[in-house]
Amino acid sequence: MTRIQLVTRIQLLAVDVDGTLVNSEDVISAATRAALHRVREAGVEVAIATGRRYRNAQGAIGALGLPAPSVCLGGALVKGGDGRTLHADAFAAAEFRAVASLFRERGHAVLGQRDSHQDGGADFLLDDSVPWNDFTREYYDRNRSFGEPAASLPDQTRQDVLVVGTFGEMLELQEVERELHRVHPGAFSSHVMPGFQFQGHYCEVVPSRVSKWAGLARLADFLGIPGEKVCAVGDERNDLSMISGAGVGVAMGNACEEVKRAADWVTGHHDEDGLVGVVERILGEAS
């Protein structure tokens, strides 16, 4: 394809943050930043699609230096480039109690992520009715300005929680994850991942209707861009939906094998400016 054909084809480039936009030092390289500015100047919208909550995503957006719209919390929250909430898909009260109660019964402190910019209050609520493990304590200590301990959180009737999470060792979280799907088959989607800014692992759960692609498709619709003109780039299992759903899906060189198999092609490692290769291919600059 010529450069003009490629720019015409791709109108929205959506990139994951951890393992994709930022390197192992949690930094956007100068080459990656310049490439994303270049593709934006060519008329391609650039968006963030991340499991991070919006406040954390703002750090990456600010470092990128573009008024990028964002899909946050694994697709549960869609924000415009000006920070306005375009869509939020919260747990129903019964859904929240089902997941939170199961976590607590197995001794895991429940974390409830919220859209504080829309609703006010804390970014996240953290159940203090069970002892916190070291990973939970570290997360709270790092983020205490944005969080709030909540007594008996699983017993509360809440309709403002977008993601339910908990911290622990990988194997124990995978066991809880399996139990969740056994008790509530088909109701929820979950993902156990290593912590990027904390030790241990994190298990996040959303209703099955929520995914990065569902959020990204809503954003694309808001922007008037058809799904076949979206390019999505990521590295982890929670990126699978958008890599499979977008017109073009790209896996980072550091992606897990499942993501690589689902992608249309594999670009370079996130520590080697892999996103630059994506931009070059979109703009027809690749040799």
Side-chain angles (χ1 to χ4, degrees):
M1 286 188 180
T2 67
R3 176 188 173 116
I4 293 175
Q5 287 172 322
L6 279 163
V7 172
T8 301
R9 182 185 178 195
I10 299 301
Q11 297 182 5
L12 173 60
L13 173 60
V15 298
D16 173 46
V17 175
D18 298 296
T20 302
L21 176 63
V22 300
N23 59 25
S24 297
E25 302 300 318
D26 197 31
V27 172
I28 302 174
S29 73
T32 292
R33 184 184 300 106
L36 291 174
H37 277 255
R38 193 164 71 251
V39 79
R40 181 68 181 82
E41 289 165 3
V44 179
E45 185 71 66
V46 175
I48 300 300
T50 179
R52 294 187 183 191
R53 62 181 185 272
Y54 181 61
R55 190 186 302 274
N56 284 2
Q58 283 180 293
I61 293 169
L64 183 58
L66 291 173
S70 56
V71 175
C72 300
L73 293 174
L77 183 62
V78 181
K79 292 277 192 176
D82 59 0
R84 286 185 302 130
T85 296
L86 304 179
H87 180 76
D89 200 333
F91 279 77
E95 291 174 327
F96 171 72
R97 284 196 299 271
V99 178
S101 296
L102 187 148
F103 278 2
R104 182 175 62 182
E105 287 168 5
R106 282 146 187 80
H108 289 276
V110 174
L111 179 81
Q113 302 274 15
R114 305 174 60 255
D115 179 13
S116 64
H117 291 78
Q118 175 80 8
D119 302 327
D123 283 6
F124 66 89
L125 304 172
L126 187 54
D127 182 35
D128 63 1
S129 65
V130 297
W132 293 354
N133 59 30
D134 291 343
F135 311 125
T136 305
R137 173 60 63 183
E138 180 185 358
Y139 181 86
Y140 180 74
D141 287 345
R142 283 175 175 265
N143 298 278
R144 64 170 61 238
S145 298
F146 317 119
E148 182 178 297
S152 300
L153 182 58
D155 299 324
Q156 296 183 19
T157 301
R158 303 206 68 96
Q159 300 183 68
D160 61 344
V161 173
L162 300 172
V163 173
V164 175
T166 194
F167 302 94
E169 300 283 359
M170 180 179 69
L171 293 180
E172 66 178 354
L173 292 181
Q174 289 175 336
E175 183 177 342
V176 173
E177 184 183 35
R178 286 191 293 270
E179 179 68 3
L180 173 68
H181 295 303
R182 186 190 69 79
V183 176
H184 303 287
F188 304 104
S189 298
S190 63
H191 180 49
V192 175
M193 69 193 85
F196 287 98
Q197 297 178 320
F198 53 86
Q199 299 298 312
H201 283 69
Y202 175 62
C203 177
E204 66 176 14
V205 179
V206 293
S208 57
R209 63 183 177 272
V210 174
S211 69
K212 279 194 178 182
W213 176 241
L216 185 54
R218 287 184 183 277
L219 175 60
D221 185 62
F222 181 84
L223 296 172
I225 297 173
E228 63 266 22
K229 295 190 177 182
V230 177
C231 176
V233 191
D235 70 305
E236 267 287 353
R237 279 181 52 231
N238 63 346
D239 297 315
L240 276 170
S241 66
M242 69 175 186
I243 286 175
S244 299
V248 176
V250 183
M252 297 297 291
N254 49 285
C256 63
E257 288 304 314
E258 189 176 1
V259 171
K260 289 180 179 179
R261 289 194 299 269
D264 293 297
W265 85 78
V266 179
T267 188
H269 196 282
H270 73 139
D271 283 333
E272 299 171 353
D273 297 318
L275 279 178
V276 174
V278 180
V279 169
E280 289 174 346
R281 192 154 176 175
I282 290 173
L283 297 181
E285 299 171 351
S287 57

PDB file of all heavy atoms in Angstrom, residues 9 12 29 38 81 83 86 94 112 118-119 123 129 131 140 177 186 189-190 219 230 232 241 285:
ATOM      1  N   ARG A   9      -6.644   4.297   5.547  1.00  0.00           N
ATOM      2  CA  ARG A   9      -7.204   3.084   6.142  1.00  0.00           C
ATOM      3  C   ARG A   9      -7.278   3.196   7.655  1.00  0.00           C
ATOM      4  O   ARG A   9      -8.303   2.914   8.258  1.00  0.00           O
ATOM      5  CB  ARG A   9      -6.349   1.875   5.757  1.00  0.00           C
ATOM      6  CG  ARG A   9      -6.918   0.585   6.319  1.00  0.00           C
ATOM      7  CD  ARG A   9      -6.024  -0.587   6.035  1.00  0.00           C
ATOM      8  NE  ARG A   9      -6.582  -1.796   6.625  1.00  0.00           N
ATOM      9  CZ  ARG A   9      -5.930  -2.920   6.800  1.00  0.00           C
ATOM     10  NH1 ARG A   9      -4.660  -2.996   6.419  1.00  0.00           N
ATOM     11  NH2 ARG A   9      -6.498  -3.968   7.344  1.00  0.00           N
ATOM     12  N   LEU A  12      -7.593   5.584  13.666  1.00  0.00           N
ATOM     13  CA  LEU A  12      -7.442   5.609  15.124  1.00  0.00           C
ATOM     14  C   LEU A  12      -6.413   4.564  15.528  1.00  0.00           C
ATOM     15  O   LEU A  12      -6.562   3.384  15.227  1.00  0.00           O
ATOM     16  CB  LEU A  12      -8.780   5.312  15.810  1.00  0.00           C
ATOM     17  CG  LEU A  12      -8.768   5.129  17.334  1.00  0.00           C
ATOM     18  CD1 LEU A  12      -8.249   6.380  18.032  1.00  0.00           C
ATOM     19  CD2 LEU A  12     -10.162   4.777  17.844  1.00  0.00           C
ATOM     20  N   SER A  29       9.746   6.642  25.598  1.00  0.00           N
ATOM     21  CA  SER A  29      11.011   7.069  24.993  1.00  0.00           C
ATOM     22  C   SER A  29      10.779   8.250  24.054  1.00  0.00           C
ATOM     23  O   SER A  29       9.671   8.457  23.540  1.00  0.00           O
ATOM     24  CB  SER A  29      11.651   5.912  24.224  1.00  0.00           C
ATOM     25  OG  SER A  29      10.936   5.665  23.018  1.00  0.00           O
ATOM     26  N   ARG A  38       4.025  12.210  15.140  1.00  0.00           N
ATOM     27  CA  ARG A  38       4.070  12.215  13.677  1.00  0.00           C
ATOM     28  C   ARG A  38       2.803  11.598  13.078  1.00  0.00           C
ATOM     29  O   ARG A  38       2.230  12.136  12.124  1.00  0.00           O
ATOM     30  CB  ARG A  38       5.309  11.444  13.208  1.00  0.00           C
ATOM     31  CG  ARG A  38       5.642  11.638  11.737  1.00  0.00           C
ATOM     32  CD  ARG A  38       7.052  11.195  11.424  1.00  0.00           C
ATOM     33  NE  ARG A  38       7.236   9.749  11.467  1.00  0.00           N
ATOM     34  CZ  ARG A  38       7.918   9.122  12.404  1.00  0.00           C
ATOM     35  NH1 ARG A  38       8.473   9.797  13.397  1.00  0.00           N
ATOM     36  NH2 ARG A  38       8.055   7.805  12.372  1.00  0.00           N
ATOM     37  N   GLY A  81     -10.544  13.447  25.226  1.00  0.00           N
ATOM     38  CA  GLY A  81      -9.245  14.077  25.398  1.00  0.00           C
ATOM     39  C   GLY A  81      -9.256  15.204  26.404  1.00  0.00           C
ATOM     40  O   GLY A  81      -8.218  15.571  26.955  1.00  0.00           O
ATOM     41  N   GLY A  83     -10.933  14.969  29.232  1.00  0.00           N
ATOM     42  CA  GLY A  83     -11.204  14.373  30.536  1.00  0.00           C
ATOM     43  C   GLY A  83     -12.665  14.105  30.825  1.00  0.00           C
ATOM     44  O   GLY A  83     -12.999  13.543  31.870  1.00  0.00           O
ATOM     45  N   LEU A  86     -17.174   9.863  28.752  1.00  0.00           N
ATOM     46  CA  LEU A  86     -18.056   9.579  27.625  1.00  0.00           C
ATOM     47  C   LEU A  86     -18.928   8.355  27.898  1.00  0.00           C
ATOM     48  O   LEU A  86     -20.047   8.264  27.407  1.00  0.00           O
ATOM     49  CB  LEU A  86     -17.233   9.346  26.357  1.00  0.00           C
ATOM     50  CG  LEU A  86     -16.276  10.479  25.961  1.00  0.00           C
ATOM     51  CD1 LEU A  86     -15.501  10.105  24.708  1.00  0.00           C
ATOM     52  CD2 LEU A  86     -17.046  11.778  25.758  1.00  0.00           C
ATOM     53  N   ALA A  94     -25.781  -6.164  42.639  1.00  0.00           N
ATOM     54  CA  ALA A  94     -25.733  -7.617  42.873  1.00  0.00           C
ATOM     55  C   ALA A  94     -24.455  -8.221  42.299  1.00  0.00           C
ATOM     56  O   ALA A  94     -23.869  -9.143  42.886  1.00  0.00           O
ATOM     57  CB  ALA A  94     -26.958  -8.281  42.264  1.00  0.00           C
ATOM     58  N   GLY A 112     -12.145  -1.674  45.037  1.00  0.00           N
ATOM     59  CA  GLY A 112     -13.170  -1.221  44.103  1.00  0.00           C
ATOM     60  C   GLY A 112     -12.729   0.060  43.415  1.00  0.00           C
ATOM     61  O   GLY A 112     -12.588   1.102  44.060  1.00  0.00           O
ATOM     62  N   GLN A 118     -15.762  11.882  37.661  1.00  0.00           N
ATOM     63  CA  GLN A 118     -17.184  12.041  37.345  1.00  0.00           C
ATOM     64  C   GLN A 118     -18.030  12.099  38.609  1.00  0.00           C
ATOM     65  O   GLN A 118     -18.938  12.921  38.723  1.00  0.00           O
ATOM     66  CB  GLN A 118     -17.648  10.875  36.463  1.00  0.00           C
ATOM     67  CG  GLN A 118     -19.139  10.850  36.149  1.00  0.00           C
ATOM     68  CD  GLN A 118     -19.501  11.803  35.038  1.00  0.00           C
ATOM     69  OE1 GLN A 118     -18.637  12.375  34.391  1.00  0.00           O
ATOM     70  NE2 GLN A 118     -20.789  11.988  34.814  1.00  0.00           N
ATOM     71  N   ASP A 119     -17.736  11.216  39.551  1.00  0.00           N
ATOM     72  CA  ASP A 119     -18.618  11.013  40.699  1.00  0.00           C
ATOM     73  C   ASP A 119     -18.133  11.666  41.984  1.00  0.00           C
ATOM     74  O   ASP A 119     -18.867  11.697  42.975  1.00  0.00           O
ATOM     75  CB  ASP A 119     -18.802   9.509  40.952  1.00  0.00           C
ATOM     76  CG  ASP A 119     -19.360   8.788  39.743  1.00  0.00           C
ATOM     77  OD1 ASP A 119     -20.149   9.412  39.005  1.00  0.00           O
ATOM     78  OD2 ASP A 119     -19.023   7.616  39.529  1.00  0.00           O
ATOM     79  N   ASP A 123     -10.605   7.574  44.229  1.00  0.00           N
ATOM     80  CA  ASP A 123     -10.402   6.765  43.021  1.00  0.00           C
ATOM     81  C   ASP A 123     -10.748   5.304  43.288  1.00  0.00           C
ATOM     82  O   ASP A 123     -11.268   4.615  42.413  1.00  0.00           O
ATOM     83  CB  ASP A 123      -8.934   6.814  42.573  1.00  0.00           C
ATOM     84  CG  ASP A 123      -8.573   8.108  41.876  1.00  0.00           C
ATOM     85  OD1 ASP A 123      -9.414   9.024  41.826  1.00  0.00           O
ATOM     86  OD2 ASP A 123      -7.434   8.196  41.376  1.00  0.00           O
ATOM     87  N   SER A 129     -12.065  -5.049  56.192  1.00  0.00           N
ATOM     88  CA  SER A 129     -12.674  -6.024  57.098  1.00  0.00           C
ATOM     89  C   SER A 129     -11.874  -7.321  57.151  1.00  0.00           C
ATOM     90  O   SER A 129     -12.177  -8.207  57.956  1.00  0.00           O
ATOM     91  CB  SER A 129     -14.118  -6.320  56.679  1.00  0.00           C
ATOM     92  OG  SER A 129     -14.171  -6.943  55.408  1.00  0.00           O
ATOM     93  N   PRO A 131      -7.568  -8.744  56.955  1.00  0.00           N
ATOM     94  CA  PRO A 131      -6.192  -8.220  57.004  1.00  0.00           C
ATOM     95  C   PRO A 131      -5.620  -8.019  55.607  1.00  0.00           C
ATOM     96  O   PRO A 131      -5.855  -8.826  54.708  1.00  0.00           O
ATOM     97  CB  PRO A 131      -5.438  -9.335  57.757  1.00  0.00           C
ATOM     98  CG  PRO A 131      -6.484 -10.099  58.499  1.00  0.00           C
ATOM     99  CD  PRO A 131      -7.718 -10.045  57.653  1.00  0.00           C
ATOM    100  N   TYR A 140      -1.694   0.419  48.742  1.00  0.00           N
ATOM    101  CA  TYR A 140      -2.379   1.507  49.442  1.00  0.00           C
ATOM    102  C   TYR A 140      -1.409   2.605  49.851  1.00  0.00           C
ATOM    103  O   TYR A 140      -1.695   3.800  49.690  1.00  0.00           O
ATOM    104  CB  TYR A 140      -3.127   0.974  50.659  1.00  0.00           C
ATOM    105  CG  TYR A 140      -3.842   2.075  51.399  1.00  0.00           C
ATOM    106  CD1 TYR A 140      -4.997   2.645  50.872  1.00  0.00           C
ATOM    107  CD2 TYR A 140      -3.348   2.569  52.606  1.00  0.00           C
ATOM    108  CE1 TYR A 140      -5.653   3.683  51.523  1.00  0.00           C
ATOM    109  CE2 TYR A 140      -3.991   3.600  53.268  1.00  0.00           C
ATOM    110  CZ  TYR A 140      -5.139   4.155  52.725  1.00  0.00           C
ATOM    111  OH  TYR A 140      -5.779   5.185  53.368  1.00  0.00           O
ATOM    112  N   GLU A 177      -9.632 -17.039  40.896  1.00  0.00           N
ATOM    113  CA  GLU A 177     -10.192 -16.756  39.575  1.00  0.00           C
ATOM    114  C   GLU A 177     -10.987 -17.956  39.063  1.00  0.00           C
ATOM    115  O   GLU A 177     -12.107 -17.805  38.556  1.00  0.00           O
ATOM    116  CB  GLU A 177      -9.053 -16.408  38.620  1.00  0.00           C
ATOM    117  CG  GLU A 177      -9.480 -16.006  37.230  1.00  0.00           C
ATOM    118  CD  GLU A 177      -8.287 -15.752  36.330  1.00  0.00           C
ATOM    119  OE1 GLU A 177      -7.253 -16.460  36.470  1.00  0.00           O
ATOM    120  OE2 GLU A 177      -8.373 -14.858  35.480  1.00  0.00           O
ATOM    121  N   GLY A 186     -19.699 -17.514  33.035  1.00  0.00           N
ATOM    122  CA  GLY A 186     -20.072 -16.584  31.978  1.00  0.00           C
ATOM    123  C   GLY A 186     -20.424 -15.180  32.415  1.00  0.00           C
ATOM    124  O   GLY A 186     -20.651 -14.302  31.570  1.00  0.00           O
ATOM    125  N   SER A 189     -15.479 -11.403  33.430  1.00  0.00           N
ATOM    126  CA  SER A 189     -14.171 -11.599  32.814  1.00  0.00           C
ATOM    127  C   SER A 189     -13.118 -11.238  33.853  1.00  0.00           C
ATOM    128  O   SER A 189     -13.310 -10.316  34.648  1.00  0.00           O
ATOM    129  CB  SER A 189     -14.003 -10.704  31.584  1.00  0.00           C
ATOM    130  OG  SER A 189     -14.956 -11.019  30.591  1.00  0.00           O
ATOM    131  N   SER A 190     -12.005 -11.955  33.835  1.00  0.00           N
ATOM    132  CA  SER A 190     -10.966 -11.702  34.834  1.00  0.00           C
ATOM    133  C   SER A 190      -9.590 -11.825  34.203  1.00  0.00           C
ATOM    134  O   SER A 190      -9.423 -12.413  33.126  1.00  0.00           O
ATOM    135  CB  SER A 190     -11.096 -12.697  35.992  1.00  0.00           C
ATOM    136  OG  SER A 190     -10.887 -14.027  35.519  1.00  0.00           O
ATOM    137  N   LEU A 219     -15.516   4.425  21.935  1.00  0.00           N
ATOM    138  CA  LEU A 219     -14.744   5.626  21.640  1.00  0.00           C
ATOM    139  C   LEU A 219     -14.700   5.874  20.132  1.00  0.00           C
ATOM    140  O   LEU A 219     -14.896   7.010  19.671  1.00  0.00           O
ATOM    141  CB  LEU A 219     -13.324   5.497  22.191  1.00  0.00           C
ATOM    142  CG  LEU A 219     -12.372   6.648  21.851  1.00  0.00           C
ATOM    143  CD1 LEU A 219     -12.886   7.972  22.403  1.00  0.00           C
ATOM    144  CD2 LEU A 219     -10.970   6.358  22.376  1.00  0.00           C
ATOM    145  N   VAL A 230      -9.506   1.033  12.842  1.00  0.00           N
ATOM    146  CA  VAL A 230      -8.825   1.132  14.133  1.00  0.00           C
ATOM    147  C   VAL A 230      -7.654   0.161  14.151  1.00  0.00           C
ATOM    148  O   VAL A 230      -7.781  -0.996  13.752  1.00  0.00           O
ATOM    149  CB  VAL A 230      -9.784   0.811  15.298  1.00  0.00           C
ATOM    150  CG1 VAL A 230      -9.033   0.837  16.630  1.00  0.00           C
ATOM    151  CG2 VAL A 230     -10.948   1.794  15.320  1.00  0.00           C
ATOM    152  N   ALA A 232      -5.094  -1.451  16.970  1.00  0.00           N
ATOM    153  CA  ALA A 232      -4.912  -1.596  18.420  1.00  0.00           C
ATOM    154  C   ALA A 232      -3.622  -2.359  18.696  1.00  0.00           C
ATOM    155  O   ALA A 232      -3.339  -3.376  18.051  1.00  0.00           O
ATOM    156  CB  ALA A 232      -6.095  -2.336  19.032  1.00  0.00           C
ATOM    157  N   SER A 241      -9.047  -8.697  23.399  1.00  0.00           N
ATOM    158  CA  SER A 241     -10.325  -8.317  22.785  1.00  0.00           C
ATOM    159  C   SER A 241     -10.135  -7.210  21.761  1.00  0.00           C
ATOM    160  O   SER A 241     -10.721  -7.244  20.675  1.00  0.00           O
ATOM    161  CB  SER A 241     -11.335  -7.892  23.857  1.00  0.00           C
ATOM    162  OG  SER A 241     -10.919  -6.703  24.514  1.00  0.00           O
ATOM    163  N   GLU A 285       6.203   4.076   5.948  1.00  0.00           N
ATOM    164  CA  GLU A 285       7.624   4.418   6.018  1.00  0.00           C
ATOM    165  C   GLU A 285       8.519   3.185   6.181  1.00  0.00           C
ATOM    166  O   GLU A 285       9.736   3.275   6.060  1.00  0.00           O
ATOM    167  CB  GLU A 285       7.875   5.369   7.184  1.00  0.00           C
ATOM    168  CG  GLU A 285       7.123   6.674   7.058  1.00  0.00           C
ATOM    169  CD  GLU A 285       7.213   7.524   8.317  1.00  0.00           C
ATOM    170  OE1 GLU A 285       7.730   7.010   9.340  1.00  0.00           O
ATOM    171  OE2 GLU A 285       6.768   8.681   8.259  1.00  0.00           O
TER     172      GLU A 285
END
